[in-house]
Amino acid sequence: MEVEALSHEPDVRVLVVDDQEPYRRAMQAVVDATNGFTVVGTAASGEDSIEVARELRPQLVLMDVNLPGIDGIEATRRILADGEGPVVVLLSTYDRDDVDLDGSGASEYVPKGAFGPDRLIEAWASAHRDG
């Protein structure tokens, strides 16, 4: 009888941040459908994302750019300020050229329409190659 070895690596812990519930659910569904990733929490504002990230210590944050209060770019700066933060991937419905990501510390920008399991895996792998 042949037994397949199971990976004992824990899933990548993901925080999903978006002010619109349908997008939060869609991003969560992508994470849930991707082997090796699990959602540990969600947030609906930039301020909440900072608190939740400190509390839950995710390894990856999927951050909407346009949020009420402080936007996703400023929230990303604050989450990454101590240098020990997670990988942050910014998402938006805007084109990449319409979003000023300079200085945010985000590892990547992905248009929401292009976000799926392949892009999630690619963004995570890319952040670890570059970092």
Side-chain angles (χ1 to χ4, degrees):
M1 179 178 187
E2 205 171 318
V3 178
E4 205 173 311
L6 298 175
S7 171
H8 292 292
E9 274 190 46
D11 286 351
V12 175
R13 298 166 42 85
V14 181
L15 171 62
V16 173
V17 183
D18 200 297
D19 61 320
Q20 296 180 44
E21 187 175 348
Y23 281 118
R24 274 197 313 275
R25 280 199 225 148
M27 286 191 280
Q28 188 165 353
V30 167
V31 174
D32 290 344
T34 308
N35 287 337
F37 294 83
T38 189
V39 173
V40 295
T42 63
S45 72
E47 290 84 358
D48 287 348
S49 73
I50 296 164
E51 273 184 49
V52 174
R54 278 192 197 121
E55 187 178 310
L56 298 179
R57 305 196 57 76
Q59 296 164 280
L60 174 63
V61 178
L62 301 176
M63 177 77 73
D64 182 27
V65 170
N66 297 304
L67 295 169
I70 63 169
D71 65 18
I73 294 171
E74 180 59 27
T76 297
R77 284 188 190 108
R78 293 183 191 186
I79 288 171
L80 299 176
D82 66 3
E84 297 294 316
V87 170
V88 179
V89 174
L90 292 169
L91 296 110
S92 178
T93 56
Y94 295 115
D95 288 335
R96 166 68 177 93
D97 296 338
D98 296 334
V99 180
D100 182 10
L101 305 177
D102 292 341
S104 70
S107 66
E108 192 164 339
Y109 172 82
V110 178
K112 285 183 181 178
F115 185 68
D118 290 348
R119 286 302 292 267
L120 175 60
I121 292 167
E122 182 183 301
W124 179 251
S126 175
H128 288 282
R129 273 195 307 272
D130 299 341

